[in-house]
Amino acid sequence: MNRLKIAIQKKGRLSENSHKLLQECGIKFSNGTDVLKTCASNFPVDILFLRDDDIPQYVEQQVADIGILGENIVFEKNREVEILDQLGFAQCRLSLAIPKEELYTGPGWFMNKKIATSYPRLLTRYLAENNLTATIEEISGSVEIAPGIGLAEAVCDIVSSGSTLMTNGLKEVQVIMKSQAVVIASKDLDSEKRKILEKLLFRIRAVRNARENKYILLNAPLESLHDICKILPGMKSPTILPLEEKGWCSIHSVVKEDEFWERIDQLRNAGAQGILVIPIEKMIV
Ligand code: PRP
Ligand code: ZN
């Protein structure tokens, strides 16, 4: 039987979350530290553990059918692959950074400077768009050390928490692009693999929706029911159940994680009491 080959990062910023995502999709697989390929026991997928930088090439060449990696690498490598979904984790930015004691005067600062990066394509594009000429020093890792050892005057690299820049005495001065984890796929998958992929994407979306939403229950006096329902749109509309106590009801709904605290304040002001918030395991919309 046909199996879908999924490439994920072996070691690095995305690997733990990529594992977790597949596991939350109900896919069971083992992974020892030296294993480069494993077969899921309960879903028709094989998982390849690769360097994220190589994943676009493997997917283009159909060594892997799909991959989970950062958009930054997809755009840098510019291979013939399709981006299917953003995954909402591994958020970061590709930025230019300079020694912290330097006075930054704007993009013109980079004119005729030497910049170390693992992202020559994206940096070249940025420089061209800003009519800048600079020398690009392409290196494959530990880019932030370049100014400290005299290899370059600035760096263009991924910033997530910013701690790597800080420990290397650098400051972020210009964001070139924002990035997060995405699913990419080969452009010609056969119909059987497409079917497995659709099933997997359905599960991935359910996991992602669940992570981004919370289940909320609260008690409301009937006279504020209308106002409270306006604050809580719910998946279709809120569920309303009567309470034993006269004049009161219980409202069940779903709120977005990132709007959550604001909604709670509005609900309390509208008279809601006994608010319970519960994580959602899976959410199918
Ligand atoms: C990036 C980048 C920095 C680090 C920044 O590595 O190269 O080393 O993350 O993170 P921080 O701002 O939280 O300190 P990434 O995992 O993207 O690259 P790699 O796969 O080339 O190691
Ligand atoms: Zn990498």
Side-chain angles (χ1 to χ4, degrees), residues 9 11-14 51-53 72-73 92-93 118-119 140-144 157-167:
Q9 190 188 34
K11 212 172 116 232
R13 254 176 347 105
L14 278 90
R51 277 201 59 185
D52 56 352
D53 313 60
N72 51 309
I73 294 184
C92 63
R93 43 204 190 268
S118 315
Y119 294 85
S140 60
S142 305
V143 171
E144 292 89 345
D157 200 13
I158 294 302
V159 183
S160 172
S161 64
S163 76
T164 312
L165 287 185
M166 197 146 72
T167 43

Side-chain angles (χ1 to χ4, degrees), residues 135-276:
T135 308
I136 297 178
E137 199 63 57
E138 185 179 347
I139 47 179
S140 60
S142 305
V143 171
E144 292 89 345
I145 205 175
I149 57 173
L151 179 72
E153 292 152 292
V155 302
C156 170
D157 200 13
I158 294 302
V159 183
S160 172
S161 64
S163 76
T164 312
L165 287 185
M166 197 146 72
T167 43
N168 287 285
L170 301 170
K171 62 179 175 191
E172 181 180 12
V173 292
Q174 204 79 53
V175 176
I176 291 186
M177 75 168 275
K178 289 198 170 151
S179 169
Q180 62 174 293
V182 289
V183 184
I184 58 165
S186 147
K187 288 192 167 168
D188 13 39
L189 292 181
D190 62 38
S191 64
E192 221 173 317
K193 285 188 175 176
R194 285 250 162 228
K195 267 190 208 141
I196 305 171
L197 175 59
E198 282 313 315
K199 258 189 165 173
L200 178 66
L201 287 177
F202 176 81
R203 293 188 186 190
I204 286 177
R205 286 168 193 151
V207 169
R208 179 154 187 213
N209 284 331
R211 284 181 187 169
E212 290 175 354
N213 290 279
K214 300 264 180 243
Y215 192 81
I216 182 165
L217 300 93
L218 55 89
N219 294 330
L222 284 176
E223 69 263 20
S224 14
L225 186 60
H226 183 67
D227 291 343
I228 289 181
C229 286
K230 270 202 285 188
I231 304 167
L232 285 177
M235 281 170 81
K236 230 183 177 66
S237 68
T239 306
I240 300 165
L241 301 168
L243 286 192
E244 174 68 10
E245 189 176 329
K246 253 189 137 194
W248 282 81
C249 65
S250 165
I251 302 179
H252 296 209
S253 191
V254 169
V255 282
K256 284 209 161 23
E257 165 88 51
D258 54 2
E259 295 173 0
F260 164 74
W261 287 111
E262 204 186 316
R263 291 270 182 254
I264 297 285
D265 289 341
Q266 293 169 349
L267 289 167
R268 290 180 62 220
N269 291 337
Q273 291 182 9
I275 303 173
L276 289 181

